[in-house]
Amino acid sequence: MRNLVIVKIGGSVITDIKKQDTPDMDSISRLSAEIKKIKEKRPLILGHGSGSFAHIPAKRYGVGRGLINKGSAFGASLTQDAAARLHRILMHELLRKGANPVSFPPSGGAVSRNGIISSWDLKPIMLALRHGFLPVVHGDVTMDSGQGVAIVSTEEALRYVALRLKPALTVMGTDVDGVYVGYSGAVSGRLIRHIDRHNISEALGQASDSHKIDVTGGMALKLKALYSIATKTHSSCMILNAKVPGRLYRAALGMDVPCTAIRF
Ligand code: ADP
């Protein structure tokens, strides 16, 4: 779809990652306003992570590995509930800001195979876009044809959507400015500003997991998802710091911001 923007806001941005079930209401409120302003100018699909909500029960019960023992079903339900609770907090704020959000959780329509979505009817999302709504998806627990249940990350949900709806731009907002060389738990070293076919192997080698509570895969997962989107749709992709006020808004509308830009 011409002009479509897909935005992810990370769980590290909208929750206090160190305190279970703790939303960062200042970030949620500010980003909801930025998202409303982006949506006024371009069709937009939003995805968000689960931070200190779903990652904690997911890890405790090994939900990412499927129905592995007697506690797995309870763990899966608990994890889905945690993801949905954060989702409702963000949706409520988007509603208050006038963004007209509608909810499309993968658990309600997607089937995965070992955590990779194998089917998901995106017609409702396409209609919602056409009618001027803000479709919102999130990382979720899905019914899985391989392992019983699985965690579908926000990156995987947005990758599936992007390959079919072909956005002009996909932006992943997280808590660092982009992919660094030599990252080891604190920001230091050089920010990789552009990734293309010449340096993708170096960049993939630098991006690792989250260095925090995270069951889906940190920077490595983001970069792999964006690499897939950028090569298959020939669109622009970015990783940027959504904790800095205005950056997400500026980037989504094509203004220059510090980031890692991915383009093939
Ligand atoms: P979010 O919750 O916003 O989706 P994640 O915590 O999953 O974000 O992923 C971002 C994190 O990835 C960073 O905060 C950092 O800890 C980690 N990371 C791993 N490798 C790198 C790298 N090379 N450059 C920057 N961050 C990296």
Side-chain angles (χ1 to χ4, degrees):
M1 180 185 282
R2 257 184 73 238
N3 226 17
L4 175 66
V5 185
I6 292 182
V7 165
K8 179 200 168 186
I9 45 179
S12 64
V13 183
I14 54 172
T15 69
D16 181 338
I17 205 77
K18 295 202 192 80
K19 290 196 204 125
Q20 183 164 2
D21 289 356
T22 310
D24 181 336
M25 289 313 298
D26 289 346
S27 279
I28 288 175
S29 171
R30 174 182 58 77
L31 283 164
S32 296
E34 289 190 32
I35 283 155
K36 156 76 165 50
K37 284 202 304 177
I38 298 167
K39 184 190 161 261
E40 279 170 0
K41 303 238 164 61
R42 296 179 74 162
L44 173 66
I45 296 174
L46 176 66
H48 67 87
S50 292
S52 65
F53 281 71
H55 285 294
I56 291 171
K59 193 166 195 159
R60 185 174 305 144
Y61 290 91
V63 180
R65 286 181 282 138
L67 295 172
I68 49 173
N69 58 39
K70 277 204 307 215
S72 296
F74 176 68
S77 296
L78 205 61
T79 304
Q80 193 203 24
D81 177 64
R85 279 188 284 113
L86 176 61
H87 179 64
R88 290 322 319 176
I89 293 170
L90 177 63
M91 292 297 277
H92 183 69
E93 198 55 29
L94 288 164
L95 191 61
R96 272 173 29 107
K97 294 287 191 297
N100 295 351
V102 280
S103 188
F104 294 99
S107 55
V111 174
S112 60
R113 181 159 188 85
N114 303 329
I116 303 297
I117 298 176
S118 51
S119 69
W120 190 9
D121 183 1
L122 300 182
K123 240 175 277 151
I125 292 184
M126 288 160 74
L127 275 176
L129 275 175
R130 195 181 306 158
H131 296 325
F133 290 100
L134 171 70
V136 187
V137 310
H138 60 83
D140 209 349
V141 176
T142 47
M143 292 301 124
D144 193 282
S145 57
Q147 54 183 46
V149 296
I151 304 279
V152 159
S153 64
T154 318
E155 283 80 356
E156 167 57 13
L158 292 180
R159 190 192 63 84
Y160 188 92
V161 170
L163 296 193
R164 283 149 190 87
L165 302 194
K166 302 197 175 9
L169 175 66
T170 303
V171 182
M172 294 209 177
T174 184
D175 62 347
V176 288
D177 286 0
V179 184
Y180 284 86
V181 174
Y183 186 89
S184 58
V187 168
S188 63
R190 176 174 62 87
L191 178 67
I192 304 177
R193 293 194 174 266
H194 298 279
I195 296 176
D196 58 20
R197 64 194 167 86
H198 299 293
N199 64 347
I200 181 67
S201 307
E202 181 210 1
L204 284 169
Q206 293 296 329
S208 62
D209 65 14
S210 132
H211 296 257
K212 294 168 285 210
I213 301 166
D214 190 284
V215 289
T216 53
M219 191 55 85
L221 183 74
K222 271 178 245 313
L223 191 51
K224 281 184 200 145
L226 293 177
Y227 176 42
S228 167
I229 295 169
T231 49
K232 293 190 176 126
T233 68
H234 303 288
S235 60
S236 297
C237 297
M238 286 175 178
I239 300 169
L240 55 72
N241 194 338
K243 286 198 148 182
V244 181
R247 260 195 208 168
L248 186 70
Y249 168 74
R250 289 172 56 81
L253 296 182
M255 289 175 251
D256 207 22
V257 298
C259 70
T260 295
I262 301 132
R263 178 100 214 209
F264 282 81

mmCIF file of all heavy atoms in Angstrom, residues 8-13 155 173-176 178-181 183 206-212 214 217-219 222, ligand 1:
data_model
loop_
_atom_site.group_PDB
_atom_site.id
_atom_site.type_symbol
_atom_site.label_atom_id
_atom_site.label_comp_id
_atom_site.label_asym_id
_atom_site.label_seq_id
_atom_site.Cartn_x
_atom_site.Cartn_y
_atom_site.Cartn_z
ATOM 1 N N LYS A 8 6.739 -0.026 15.124
ATOM 2 C CA LYS A 8 6.748 -0.821 16.353
ATOM 3 C C LYS A 8 7.268 0.033 17.496
ATOM 4 O O LYS A 8 8.280 0.731 17.332
ATOM 5 C CB LYS A 8 7.653 -2.045 16.225
ATOM 6 C CG LYS A 8 7.646 -2.842 17.535
ATOM 7 C CD LYS A 8 8.777 -3.787 17.781
ATOM 8 C CE LYS A 8 8.716 -4.222 19.253
ATOM 9 N NZ LYS A 8 9.831 -5.050 19.686
ATOM 10 N N ILE A 9 6.579 -0.014 18.648
ATOM 11 C CA ILE A 9 7.195 0.561 19.844
ATOM 12 C C ILE A 9 7.503 -0.580 20.812
ATOM 13 O O ILE A 9 6.665 -1.429 21.091
ATOM 14 C CB ILE A 9 6.368 1.688 20.503
ATOM 15 C CG1 ILE A 9 4.901 1.342 20.620
ATOM 16 C CG2 ILE A 9 6.530 2.972 19.750
ATOM 17 C CD1 ILE A 9 4.097 2.446 21.299
ATOM 18 N N GLY A 10 8.742 -0.585 21.250
ATOM 19 C CA GLY A 10 9.251 -1.716 22.030
ATOM 20 C C GLY A 10 8.717 -1.726 23.459
ATOM 21 O O GLY A 10 8.393 -0.686 24.031
ATOM 22 N N GLY A 11 8.677 -2.935 24.017
ATOM 23 C CA GLY A 11 8.303 -3.081 25.418
ATOM 24 C C GLY A 11 9.254 -2.340 26.342
ATOM 25 O O GLY A 11 8.861 -1.870 27.419
ATOM 26 N N SER A 12 10.503 -2.174 25.905
ATOM 27 C CA SER A 12 11.468 -1.448 26.737
ATOM 28 C C SER A 12 11.152 0.045 26.789
ATOM 29 O O SER A 12 11.669 0.752 27.654
ATOM 30 C CB SER A 12 12.881 -1.650 26.186
ATOM 31 O OG SER A 12 12.974 -1.078 24.907
ATOM 32 N N VAL A 13 10.301 0.505 25.892
ATOM 33 C CA VAL A 13 9.952 1.931 25.853
ATOM 34 C C VAL A 13 8.671 2.214 26.649
ATOM 35 O O VAL A 13 8.558 3.238 27.309
ATOM 36 C CB VAL A 13 9.764 2.397 24.384
ATOM 37 C CG1 VAL A 13 9.479 3.890 24.319
ATOM 38 C CG2 VAL A 13 10.976 2.047 23.542
ATOM 39 N N GLU A 155 7.838 -8.380 16.275
ATOM 40 C CA GLU A 155 8.610 -8.327 15.027
ATOM 41 C C GLU A 155 8.062 -9.324 14.011
ATOM 42 O O GLU A 155 7.924 -9.013 12.835
ATOM 43 C CB GLU A 155 10.091 -8.641 15.303
ATOM 44 C CG GLU A 155 10.883 -7.497 15.926
ATOM 45 C CD GLU A 155 10.663 -7.366 17.425
ATOM 46 O OE1 GLU A 155 9.838 -8.113 18.008
ATOM 47 O OE2 GLU A 155 11.325 -6.508 18.035
ATOM 48 N N GLY A 173 10.915 1.364 17.024
ATOM 49 C CA GLY A 173 11.346 2.256 18.103
ATOM 50 C C GLY A 173 11.726 1.448 19.323
ATOM 51 O O GLY A 173 10.942 0.650 19.821
ATOM 52 N N THR A 174 12.957 1.657 19.798
ATOM 53 C CA THR A 174 13.425 0.917 20.964
ATOM 54 C C THR A 174 14.106 1.880 21.939
ATOM 55 O O THR A 174 13.818 3.088 21.899
ATOM 56 C CB THR A 174 14.336 -0.258 20.498
ATOM 57 O OG1 THR A 174 14.719 -1.023 21.637
ATOM 58 C CG2 THR A 174 15.577 0.216 19.750
ATOM 59 N N ASP A 175 14.982 1.353 22.820
ATOM 60 C CA ASP A 175 15.582 2.219 23.850
ATOM 61 C C ASP A 175 17.038 2.577 23.556
ATOM 62 O O ASP A 175 17.743 3.059 24.427
ATOM 63 C CB ASP A 175 15.457 1.549 25.228
ATOM 64 C CG ASP A 175 16.206 0.225 25.308
ATOM 65 O OD1 ASP A 175 16.625 -0.305 24.254
ATOM 66 O OD2 ASP A 175 16.374 -0.290 26.434
ATOM 67 N N VAL A 176 17.510 2.277 22.355
ATOM 68 C CA VAL A 176 18.858 2.699 21.915
ATOM 69 C C VAL A 176 18.719 3.311 20.517
ATOM 70 O O VAL A 176 17.708 3.101 19.840
ATOM 71 C CB VAL A 176 19.862 1.512 21.874
ATOM 72 C CG1 VAL A 176 20.243 1.053 23.265
ATOM 73 C CG2 VAL A 176 19.285 0.337 21.067
ATOM 74 N N GLY A 178 20.067 2.628 17.731
ATOM 75 C CA GLY A 178 20.141 1.730 16.578
ATOM 76 C C GLY A 178 21.104 0.599 16.887
ATOM 77 O O GLY A 178 21.308 0.262 18.062
ATOM 78 N N VAL A 179 21.718 0.046 15.848
ATOM 79 C CA VAL A 179 22.645 -1.079 16.028
ATOM 80 C C VAL A 179 24.056 -0.533 16.219
ATOM 81 O O VAL A 179 24.573 0.197 15.358
ATOM 82 C CB VAL A 179 22.628 -2.015 14.801
ATOM 83 C CG1 VAL A 179 23.524 -3.229 15.041
ATOM 84 C CG2 VAL A 179 21.207 -2.450 14.461
ATOM 85 N N TYR A 180 24.677 -0.873 17.340
ATOM 86 C CA TYR A 180 26.043 -0.429 17.624
ATOM 87 C C TYR A 180 27.050 -1.533 17.334
ATOM 88 O O TYR A 180 26.743 -2.718 17.489
ATOM 89 C CB TYR A 180 26.172 -0.029 19.107
ATOM 90 C CG TYR A 180 25.551 1.307 19.410
ATOM 91 C CD1 TYR A 180 24.193 1.402 19.719
ATOM 92 C CD2 TYR A 180 26.303 2.486 19.371
ATOM 93 C CE1 TYR A 180 23.603 2.630 19.985
ATOM 94 C CE2 TYR A 180 25.720 3.721 19.633
ATOM 95 C CZ TYR A 180 24.380 3.778 19.931
ATOM 96 O OH TYR A 180 23.797 4.997 20.186
ATOM 97 N N VAL A 181 28.232 -1.106 16.980
ATOM 98 C CA VAL A 181 29.361 -2.041 16.892
ATOM 99 C C VAL A 181 29.911 -2.204 18.306
ATOM 100 O O VAL A 181 30.093 -1.223 19.019
ATOM 101 C CB VAL A 181 30.468 -1.466 15.963
ATOM 102 C CG1 VAL A 181 31.707 -2.360 15.970
ATOM 103 C CG2 VAL A 181 29.936 -1.294 14.556
ATOM 104 N N TYR A 183 28.511 -3.587 21.021
ATOM 105 C CA TYR A 183 27.569 -3.358 22.121
ATOM 106 C C TYR A 183 27.724 -4.461 23.167
ATOM 107 O O TYR A 183 27.753 -5.637 22.837
ATOM 108 C CB TYR A 183 26.128 -3.365 21.597
ATOM 109 C CG TYR A 183 25.120 -2.992 22.656
ATOM 110 C CD1 TYR A 183 24.776 -1.662 22.868
ATOM 111 C CD2 TYR A 183 24.555 -3.965 23.473
ATOM 112 C CE1 TYR A 183 23.876 -1.321 23.864
ATOM 113 C CE2 TYR A 183 23.656 -3.626 24.469
ATOM 114 C CZ TYR A 183 23.318 -2.303 24.660
ATOM 115 O OH TYR A 183 22.435 -1.959 25.638
ATOM 116 N N GLN A 206 26.838 -8.146 14.915
ATOM 117 C CA GLN A 206 26.902 -7.257 16.080
ATOM 118 C C GLN A 206 25.635 -7.303 16.929
ATOM 119 O O GLN A 206 25.668 -7.059 18.127
ATOM 120 C CB GLN A 206 27.116 -5.802 15.626
ATOM 121 C CG GLN A 206 28.460 -5.536 14.984
ATOM 122 C CD GLN A 206 29.607 -5.743 15.957
ATOM 123 O OE1 GLN A 206 29.479 -5.540 17.163
ATOM 124 N NE2 GLN A 206 30.744 -6.176 15.443
ATOM 125 N N ALA A 207 24.492 -7.574 16.285
ATOM 126 C CA ALA A 207 23.200 -7.483 16.996
ATOM 127 C C ALA A 207 22.958 -8.758 17.787
ATOM 128 O O ALA A 207 22.954 -9.840 17.232
ATOM 129 C CB ALA A 207 22.085 -7.267 15.978
ATOM 130 N N SER A 208 22.737 -8.604 19.072
ATOM 131 C CA SER A 208 22.481 -9.790 19.897
ATOM 132 C C SER A 208 21.168 -9.625 20.644
ATOM 133 O O SER A 208 20.297 -8.857 20.235
ATOM 134 C CB SER A 208 23.658 -10.029 20.838
ATOM 135 O OG SER A 208 23.801 -8.938 21.703
ATOM 136 N N ASP A 209 21.021 -10.359 21.756
ATOM 137 C CA ASP A 209 19.728 -10.303 22.443
ATOM 138 C C ASP A 209 19.622 -9.043 23.287
ATOM 139 O O ASP A 209 20.429 -8.124 23.170
ATOM 140 C CB ASP A 209 19.463 -11.597 23.222
ATOM 141 C CG ASP A 209 20.461 -11.770 24.346
ATOM 142 O OD1 ASP A 209 21.149 -10.789 24.678
ATOM 143 O OD2 ASP A 209 20.572 -12.890 24.865
ATOM 144 N N SER A 210 18.642 -9.042 24.183
ATOM 145 C CA SER A 210 18.241 -7.766 24.756
ATOM 146 C C SER A 210 19.045 -7.307 25.980
ATOM 147 O O SER A 210 18.933 -6.152 26.367
ATOM 148 C CB SER A 210 16.756 -7.855 25.066
ATOM 149 O OG SER A 210 16.484 -7.427 26.315
ATOM 150 N N HIS A 211 19.848 -8.160 26.569
ATOM 151 C CA HIS A 211 20.576 -7.821 27.797
ATOM 152 C C HIS A 211 19.607 -7.454 28.925
ATOM 153 O O HIS A 211 19.975 -6.822 29.892
ATOM 154 C CB HIS A 211 21.575 -6.660 27.590
ATOM 155 C CG HIS A 211 22.675 -6.983 26.628
ATOM 156 N ND1 HIS A 211 23.944 -7.288 27.016
ATOM 157 C CD2 HIS A 211 22.686 -7.073 25.290
ATOM 158 C CE1 HIS A 211 24.702 -7.538 25.956
ATOM 159 N NE2 HIS A 211 23.950 -7.412 24.888
ATOM 160 N N LYS A 212 18.298 -7.777 28.747
ATOM 161 C CA LYS A 212 17.278 -7.509 29.775
ATOM 162 C C LYS A 212 16.350 -8.714 29.781
ATOM 163 O O LYS A 212 16.570 -9.666 29.068
ATOM 164 C CB LYS A 212 16.462 -6.259 29.402
ATOM 165 C CG LYS A 212 17.250 -4.985 29.404
ATOM 166 C CD LYS A 212 16.458 -3.870 28.762
ATOM 167 C CE LYS A 212 16.439 -4.026 27.284
ATOM 168 N NZ LYS A 212 16.347 -2.871 26.471
ATOM 169 N N ASP A 214 13.751 -10.695 28.362
ATOM 170 C CA ASP A 214 13.205 -10.674 27.006
ATOM 171 C C ASP A 214 13.150 -12.107 26.520
ATOM 172 O O ASP A 214 14.122 -12.827 26.600
ATOM 173 C CB ASP A 214 14.132 -9.850 26.096
ATOM 174 C CG ASP A 214 13.506 -9.581 24.744
ATOM 175 O OD1 ASP A 214 13.478 -10.492 23.913
ATOM 176 O OD2 ASP A 214 13.039 -8.458 24.552
ATOM 177 N N GLY A 217 14.063 -11.829 21.635
ATOM 178 C CA GLY A 217 15.292 -11.792 20.848
ATOM 179 C C GLY A 217 16.006 -10.483 20.626
ATOM 180 O O GLY A 217 16.958 -10.429 19.857
ATOM 181 N N GLY A 218 15.580 -9.382 21.260
ATOM 182 C CA GLY A 218 16.366 -8.146 21.249
ATOM 183 C C GLY A 218 16.676 -7.593 19.876
ATOM 184 O O GLY A 218 15.885 -7.659 18.943
ATOM 185 N N MET A 219 17.886 -7.042 19.756
ATOM 186 C CA MET A 219 18.288 -6.352 18.524
ATOM 187 C C MET A 219 18.436 -7.321 17.354
ATOM 188 O O MET A 219 18.122 -6.985 16.207
ATOM 189 C CB MET A 219 19.601 -5.618 18.786
ATOM 190 C CG MET A 219 19.994 -4.658 17.715
ATOM 191 S SD MET A 219 18.692 -3.437 17.371
ATOM 192 C CE MET A 219 19.029 -2.195 18.607
ATOM 193 N N LYS A 222 15.070 -7.851 15.767
ATOM 194 C CA LYS A 222 14.632 -6.658 15.010
ATOM 195 C C LYS A 222 15.335 -6.594 13.663
ATOM 196 O O LYS A 222 14.710 -6.379 12.626
ATOM 197 C CB LYS A 222 14.992 -5.376 15.787
ATOM 198 C CG LYS A 222 13.928 -4.931 16.734
ATOM 199 C CD LYS A 222 14.372 -3.705 17.501
ATOM 200 C CE LYS A 222 14.497 -4.056 18.971
ATOM 201 N NZ LYS A 222 13.372 -4.786 19.538
HETATM 202 P P1 ADP B 1 12.371 -3.541 22.684
HETATM 203 O O1 ADP B 1 11.846 -4.006 24.024
HETATM 204 O O2 ADP B 1 12.376 -2.059 22.547
HETATM 205 O O3 ADP B 1 11.804 -4.253 21.513
HETATM 206 P P2 ADP B 1 14.797 -5.097 23.086
HETATM 207 O O4 ADP B 1 15.215 -4.926 24.501
HETATM 208 O O5 ADP B 1 14.135 -6.381 22.695
HETATM 209 O O6 ADP B 1 13.930 -3.835 22.668
HETATM 210 O O7 ADP B 1 16.033 -4.860 22.077
HETATM 211 C C1 ADP B 1 16.849 -3.713 22.189
HETATM 212 C C2 ADP B 1 18.089 -4.074 22.991
HETATM 213 O O8 ADP B 1 18.954 -4.902 22.194
HETATM 214 C C3 ADP B 1 18.982 -2.936 23.413
HETATM 215 O O9 ADP B 1 18.483 -2.234 24.536
HETATM 216 C C4 ADP B 1 20.273 -3.685 23.746
HETATM 217 O O10 ADP B 1 20.240 -4.147 25.095
HETATM 218 C C5 ADP B 1 20.216 -4.938 22.859
HETATM 219 N N1 ADP B 1 21.288 -5.014 21.857
HETATM 220 C C6 ADP B 1 21.903 -6.160 21.505
HETATM 221 N N2 ADP B 1 22.839 -5.967 20.572
HETATM 222 C C7 ADP B 1 22.846 -4.629 20.312
HETATM 223 C C8 ADP B 1 23.607 -3.801 19.414
HETATM 224 N N3 ADP B 1 24.567 -4.302 18.631
HETATM 225 N N4 ADP B 1 23.342 -2.475 19.393
HETATM 226 C C9 ADP B 1 22.379 -1.950 20.197
HETATM 227 N N5 ADP B 1 21.621 -2.682 21.056
HETATM 228 C C10 ADP B 1 21.843 -4.015 21.116
#
